[in-house]
Every structure is written in structure tokens, then in C-alpha cells.
Amino acid sequence: MSNKLALFDCDGTMVDSQANICASMDQAFTKHGLVPPDHHLVRRIVGLSLIEAVSQLLPGEDAELVAAVTQSYKDGFFEMRQAGGVHEPLYEGLLETLEELEASGWVLGVATGKSDRGLQHVLETHGLLDRFVTLQTADRHPSKPHPAMVELAMAEAGAAPETTAMIGDTSFDMAMAVNASVRPVGVDWGYHDEHELIEAGAEIVVANMADLHGILNR
């Protein structure tokens, strides 16, 4: 019998990290003499692997510049974290939702565009590292919406497509779920709007964290 797997995106779904992401992107662009992108555009690419995100913010630029800006973003984010300047608060009600899901037989996982180091920092900061049986990041997979993250998560968790739900706030998450043939469940407190989530394949878009447990158990 396959386990029930609730697979969560991180940025925009479990934690609100947009201030840190926008600040680091500003710094990286400025370092290379570039005009920082509008923060609305930055929020649009949250969830993609970093190199893909920077590529979309620098359309038409050569690969060398994209790689340099990407590395500057990584370096700046790391320095900000070391200085204690990274604040990624949990969305209200997440802890209670995770507890409810575990109590009703779900195993938990994460599939995120963050790096291994970034995800570990978030989970350790909030005391969540031991809650998840599988952690998939951009360090070891193609960018969303490629299904590789979901496929390996299911293998590690002993789950099947019909017993797995991907919970996320972006169209990239929903498209990845569709590509992996798992249940796509959108949330509206993140970085893409309800219409985009549905257009990308979301079965439903949840408005309140407190409703997530009940929806997954339908």
C-alpha cells in the first residue's frame, strides 16, 4: 500500500521570503552595473531554479553574465544569512496544518527551487527539519516544472502518483504536479494569483491554511 504524501513548495507556500529574495536580487544586479528588476517581476520567478530565474530576468543576455549575476545572488544571500539578516517567517497556521496532516496518516515532503543549504536553514530555524521524510531542491534536479523532484520524492516516501499531492503557490508548482501525474493543490497566499494556478492545472486553490487538511482528505 502506498503512503499518502503531501509535498510542499517552500517559498511563498510555507514561508514568506520575498523581502530577502528581492533584496538579494537588487544587490546582485547592482554589483554588475545593471538596473535591478521590478520586484513584481522578481516575485514572478520565485520557485524556479536560480539560474533559470535570473535568465528570465535578463532575457537575451549572454550565459556568462547570467551565471555571474546568479553567483552574486548566491554570495549576497549567504552573506545576509551569516549576518543574521535573513527573515523567512512561516505563514500563519502552517505548524497546525502539518500536525493535522501527520495525525491523519500523511507523510510530508518538500519540493523547492531553493538550494539544499537554503532549505536546511529554513527548516532548522523553525524546528521543522525532522518533520519531512523527503527534501528535494534545485541543487539536484532540473528546474520546475520538470517532474523530477516529485518523482524522486514519491520514491523516497513510498508514495504513488494517486496518493500524492503537490501544494504550491506558483504556476510552476501546478505544472510540475501535472507533469508528474499527482494532485495539484494551489494556495493563494503566495506569489501567483488564483487564475494563473488554475490555468496551470490546479485542481483547487486554497484560500486559508486551515482548510488545507480538509481539502487533502477529500
Side-chain angles (χ1 to χ4, degrees):
M1 186 181 212
S2 298
N3 287 325
K4 296 188 298 182
L5 172 63
L7 195 57
F8 285 81
D9 170 54
C10 186
D11 296 316
T13 301
M14 295 199 298
V15 300
D16 186 1
S17 50
Q18 63 177 304
N20 306 309
I21 293 170
C22 289
S24 294
M25 201 65 76
D26 285 351
Q27 183 181 51
F29 271 63
T30 300
K31 182 175 180 179
H32 293 275
L34 301 168
V35 176
D38 183 276
H39 287 177
H40 172 71
L41 296 177
V42 175
R43 288 191 291 271
R44 304 274 321 136
I45 50 79
V46 172
L48 294 174
S49 298
L50 184 56
I51 189 75
E52 177 64 22
V54 174
S55 294
Q56 291 202 14
L57 293 172
L58 289 171
E61 292 291 350
D62 63 76
E64 186 175 342
L65 177 60
V66 170
V69 173
T70 299
Q71 188 59 52
S72 294
Y73 177 98
K74 291 179 180 179
D75 294 343
F77 205 101
F78 178 72
E79 290 169 6
M80 187 164 60
R81 183 185 295 125
Q82 292 295 97
V86 172
H87 303 290
E88 297 171 297
L90 296 179
Y91 284 106
E92 186 176 355
L94 177 69
L95 293 177
E96 293 81 0
T97 295
L98 297 180
E99 290 170 359
E100 289 173 345
L101 289 171
E102 287 178 319
S104 60
W106 290 82
V107 294
L108 307 175
V110 179
T112 176
K114 278 186 176 298
S115 65
D116 287 331
R117 183 171 62 185
L119 179 59
Q120 182 165 343
H121 178 267
V122 168
L123 298 181
E124 286 182 342
T125 296
H126 295 293
L128 294 175
L129 196 56
D130 295 333
R131 302 296 289 266
F132 299 97
V133 302
T134 180
L135 301 174
Q136 307 302 325
T137 76
D139 283 350
R140 291 169 283 115
H141 294 285
S143 181
K144 298 175 183 180
H146 193 284
M149 289 190 194
V150 179
E151 291 168 346
L152 184 55
M154 288 190 290
E156 292 184 352
E162 61 270 20
T163 62
T164 299
M166 177 67 213
I167 302 114
D169 68 299
T170 71
S171 57
F172 314 128
D173 298 312
M174 300 301 96
M176 179 173 68
V178 170
N179 290 340
S181 299
V182 305
R183 188 178 178 191
V185 178
V187 301
D188 78 348
W189 50 80
Y191 306 142
H192 288 188
D193 64 32
E194 180 179 4
H195 172 75
E196 292 174 286
L197 298 176
I198 292 172
E199 196 170 67
E203 168 192 308
I204 190 170
V205 177
V206 182
N208 299 295
M209 184 79 74
D211 296 333
L212 192 52
H213 171 258
I215 287 168
L216 289 181
N217 280 299
R218 286 180 183 172

